[in-house]
Amino acid sequence: MFFKLLIRNPQAVIGMSIMAFFIVISLAAPIIAPYDPEARVGLPHEAPSSEHLFGTSRMGRDVFSQVLYAGQISITVGITAGLITTFIALATGLSAGYFGGRIDEVITFATNVILVLPQLPLLLVLAAFLGEVSPALIAFIIGVTSWAWGSRVIRSQTLALREKEFIKAAELIGEPARRIIFIELLPNLISIIGSGFIGAVIYAVMTQATLEFIGLGDPTSISWGTMLYHAQTSSAIYVGAWWDLLVPCVAISLFGASLALLNFAVDEVANPKLRAKGALRRYKRMLKRGEVKA
Amino acid sequence: MSEKLTLTVKGLKKDFRSGGTTLNPKKMRALNDVSLNLESGKALAIVGESGSGKSTIAKIITGIHDPTGGEIELNGKNVVKLKGDDKRKFRQKVQMVFQDPFASLNPTHTIRHHIERPLKIHRKLKGDALEAEVLRVLTEVGLTPAKATADKYPHELSGGQRQRVNIARGMAAGAEIILADEPTSMLDVSIRIGVLNLMSDMKDKHDIGFMYITHDIATARYFAEQTAVMYVGHMVEWGDTETITQAPKHPYTQLLISAVPDPSKRIDAPLQGGERGEIPVWYPDSVGCPFAERCLSATDHCRKEMPGVTQLADNHFTRCHLYS
Ligand SMILES: Nc1ncnc2c1ncn2[C@@H]1O[C@H](COP(=O)(O)OP(=O)(O)OP(=O)(O)O)[C@@H](O)[C@H]1O
Ligand SMILES: [Mg+2]
């Protein structure tokens, strides 16, 4: 059924395929990669050839093997940071929205503090302060600093839902708060949570690359960001070794794009109204009649 | 059903905040001195224009809002501010059906979920017994084939069917009194009678007591033995439905009924007649009769003093200076 959904939704299918492709080749790096990504296996900056598919780096390492292994780290950091972000956003947003009062005040205050702090400079300061930060630490830092927006969105949705008659009705039949939150409210938030998660992963992958590119990461780890960093410091572009820079760039962009495309599927998977046959057409009709909001 | 239940509301008051600042809030009085009785197997219709406080009564009884003043008793036992187990027991007995059938079912869950939950919470049913009861309740409210209905999502049902699910949910909990807040107002005219008949059946066969909130005085006559007419948070005339609809005494009730020459017409359009069409907002410090501004028979006395309750007949009461 899940599959049928996606077939009707080509953007989602494309996004899904690209992402699956990335995940598979990264996981299978030890099998696919022709060389050890850290070994000197050729001359510096050899152009792409049958021997070195994407050429070699300044250090004479095989770029193809590197980009595969780098995927493991970049994707893991992205997903980990996305999970942390989503989890914090969900816990804070739901509690603030459903319980209100004191709890809401405290959480809203914390959220606003994080929101007014400019994100990237904050990360830069943190990373610079901590020195060369490992990928795990990067994931953690991104995770704990970027939940505020998602928390806001979930809170306001929860506030709106809480006043809905079906929530009142559930309270009246005696559902405990825990069940109201997790069984009655949460499923109505799935599409927001899903697209929030996807957005957080994209953001984390980009941010990690940025931090590492400007040299705040751990240069001995292999990720798309550190590949860019090494290419940059070895003036790859000046010496005409475009592949050294282009390959990690394309990897990042493609992966980000695949996630963005995947976002198109989230609504359909989450909304039982849309799961039926001819969902998209019906969705558009409902949109017109104002029964659902885009 | 074992013993008869009586739900008594005495002198209910409710103030809502309407503007002002946090330190100096301005309040409006949505309900003032409302007293009524609900009994197993009987129906009380609450009739009044939009904003007269009908839903607020139901929401206070079920605990969605706290009362500002007054008492609510179930068989003589106070039920305001119940906690824990007592609250659960009260909720089991007194359930509410909301006005909007499209908003009162959770779109992410099947109909089975909606009926199962009260059965699990209040009657601790499990497994086969649970499923059998779900199907029985759905069949009882006319949602057949029950098995197919149980597997559907709310958006796959019509408004009338959803309202039946809402009634079924109350039944599943084991409700003995149901507060139905305009249960048919959002349904097509053609299916209203079906839902009304269902409630009628439940009243007669299962001895369930109803509070039937409505704009539609014709259906009140069809369904409810007792009627109370509300105006701006006040009960202005109440008693036996036949008397009130056939021989209304309060000028507002007379206006209401004369505005509906065709009994199938609804009265939610703003009423014409009276001196001015304005419906006032009531404040805690307002004085006089709330209807005075529109009343053709109003005197200075009416504008200065709230009329007391006059008993006109055995089961017929009004609040009007014309009769005191
Ligand atoms: N939560 C609230 N906060 C503030 N004011 C409220 C609230 N709920 C109701 N009111 C006010 O109380 C008054 C009575 O409202 P209520 O919903 O009980 O009317 P009603 O008779 O049910 O009307 P309708 O026929 O439109 O449903 C209205 O003036 C309304 O604006
Ligand atoms: Mg109402």
Side-chain angles (χ1 to χ4, degrees), chain A residues 5 8-9 264-272 274-276 279-280:
Chain A
L5 279 172
R8 281 199 309 269
N9 196 332
F264 284 100
V266 169
D267 238 12
E268 215 172 316
V269 177
N271 188 342
L274 302 177
R275 268 188 237 141
L280 219 62

Side-chain angles (χ1 to χ4, degrees), chain B residues 103-169:
Chain B
S104 47
L105 299 174
N106 191 330
T108 59
H109 292 300
T110 57
I111 303 307
R112 174 175 285 105
H113 170 89
H114 290 90
I115 307 299
E116 254 179 24
R117 290 305 303 160
L119 290 171
K120 280 183 176 164
I121 294 171
H122 295 295
R123 288 159 60 186
K124 315 274 181 245
L125 293 180
K126 282 197 193 80
D128 288 348
L130 177 65
E131 177 68 8
E133 186 64 8
V134 168
L135 300 183
R136 192 193 67 74
V137 173
L138 287 175
T139 310
E140 172 125 32
V141 298
L143 291 169
T144 47
K147 187 127 179 51
T149 309
D151 290 328
K152 287 188 173 161
Y153 283 90
H155 74 270
E156 298 173 87
L157 301 186
S158 70
Q161 290 174 317
R162 292 189 207 195
Q163 215 51 311
R164 285 169 193 266
V165 174
N166 279 319
I167 293 170
R169 170 158 61 182

Side-chain angles (χ1 to χ4, degrees), chain A residues 166 171 173 175 183-184, chain B residues 91 103 106 109 113 117 122:
Chain A
F166 67 82
E171 284 169 357
I173 61 155
E175 290 282 15
I183 312 286
E184 305 291 331
Chain B
R91 288 198 154 160
N106 191 330
H109 292 300
H113 170 89
R117 290 305 303 160
H122 295 295

Side-chain angles (χ1 to χ4, degrees), chain B:
Chain B
M1 222 142 280
S2 48
E3 49 164 352
K4 291 262 178 195
L5 277 187
T6 310
L7 184 92
T8 313
V9 172
K10 285 188 208 154
L12 200 62
K13 271 195 189 69
K14 178 69 189 176
D15 291 345
F16 280 119
R17 189 170 153 197
S18 68
T21 57
T22 315
L23 288 180
N24 185 16
K26 209 167 155 45
K27 289 195 170 154
M28 58 87 64
R29 183 149 287 176
L31 289 180
N32 198 10
D33 201 8
V34 168
S35 302
L36 46 85
N37 258 319
L38 297 172
E39 279 171 55
S40 307
K42 294 264 163 56
L44 166 69
I46 309 272
V47 182
E49 285 165 285
S50 203
S52 56
K54 305 180 300 293
S55 301
T56 307
I57 301 180
K59 286 180 179 166
I60 291 176
I61 294 177
T62 50
I64 294 177
H65 294 317
D66 288 328
T68 306
E71 267 148 58
I72 303 167
E73 289 171 358
L74 190 66
N75 280 356
K77 217 176 128 231
N78 197 320
V79 295
V80 180
K81 299 206 166 121
L82 285 182
K83 290 246 149 55
D85 219 35
D86 292 335
K87 185 164 162 184
R88 217 198 71 235
K89 283 199 189 118
F90 174 72
R91 288 198 154 160
Q92 165 169 26
K93 295 205 171 99
V94 181
Q95 284 284 315
M96 179 159 174
V97 172
F98 290 91
Q99 178 170 4
D100 184 353
F102 295 90
S104 47
L105 299 174
N106 191 330
T108 59
H109 292 300
T110 57
I111 303 307
R112 174 175 285 105
H113 170 89
H114 290 90
I115 307 299
E116 254 179 24
R117 290 305 303 160
L119 290 171
K120 280 183 176 164
I121 294 171
H122 295 295
R123 288 159 60 186
K124 315 274 181 245
L125 293 180
K126 282 197 193 80
D128 288 348
L130 177 65
E131 177 68 8
E133 186 64 8
V134 168
L135 300 183
R136 192 193 67 74
V137 173
L138 287 175
T139 310
E140 172 125 32
V141 298
L143 291 169
T144 47
K147 187 127 179 51
T149 309
D151 290 328
K152 287 188 173 161
Y153 283 90
H155 74 270
E156 298 173 87
L157 301 186
S158 70
Q161 290 174 317
R162 292 189 207 195
Q163 215 51 311
R164 285 169 193 266
V165 174
N166 279 319
I167 293 170
R169 170 158 61 182
M171 278 181 69
E176 296 176 45
I177 289 180
I178 291 184
L179 313 177
D181 188 357
E182 306 196 37
T184 59
S185 70
M186 295 185 72
L187 305 180
D188 285 346
V189 177
S190 57
I191 48 178
R192 283 190 190 155
I193 194 73
V195 172
L196 222 52
N197 280 336
L198 170 64
M199 297 200 305
S200 239
D201 268 4
M202 289 173 58
K203 178 161 73 89
D204 299 338
K205 282 198 209 131
H206 298 291
D207 213 21
I208 290 177
F210 277 90
M211 176 156 129
Y212 175 58
I213 296 177
T214 185
H215 280 250
D216 186 351
I217 225 163
T219 57
R221 219 182 134 195
Y222 175 82
F223 175 62
E225 295 83 4
Q226 308 277 316
T227 294
V229 179
M230 304 271 310
Y231 185 73
V232 205
H234 299 74
M235 287 170 67
V236 294
E237 183 166 5
W238 62 100
D240 178 57
T241 303
E242 270 319 292
T243 319
I244 289 189
T245 50
Q246 299 310 303
K249 287 287 188 271
H250 193 285
Y252 176 64
T253 319
Q254 291 171 346
L255 182 62
L256 265 189
I257 294 195
S258 67
V260 233
D262 171 7
S264 66
K265 229 175 78 188
R266 282 155 50 75
I267 54 167
D268 45 5
L271 289 172
Q272 303 301 314
E275 287 194 345
R276 265 168 293 166
E278 287 284 295
I279 301 177
V281 177
W282 205 249
Y283 296 103
D285 53 2
S286 300
V287 292
C289 169
F291 191 57
E293 294 204 12
R294 282 168 81 187
C295 183
L296 293 171
S297 331
T299 61
D300 266 356
H301 186 43
C302 298
R303 281 181 264 273
K304 288 205 186 93
E305 202 183 308
M306 167 90 67
V309 178
T310 316
Q311 180 160 19
L312 299 165
D314 217 17
N315 183 16
H316 189 184
F317 302 82
T318 187
R319 260 179 193 281
C320 178
H321 284 311
L322 287 177
Y323 305 96
S324 57

Side-chain angles (χ1 to χ4, degrees), chain A residues 225-247:
Chain A
T226 55
M227 284 178 72
L228 285 172
Y229 169 70
H230 289 300
Q232 169 69 13
T233 50
S234 62
S235 327
I237 286 290
Y238 288 114
V239 302
W242 48 267
W243 55 88
D244 205 4
L245 211 59
L246 189 67
V247 170

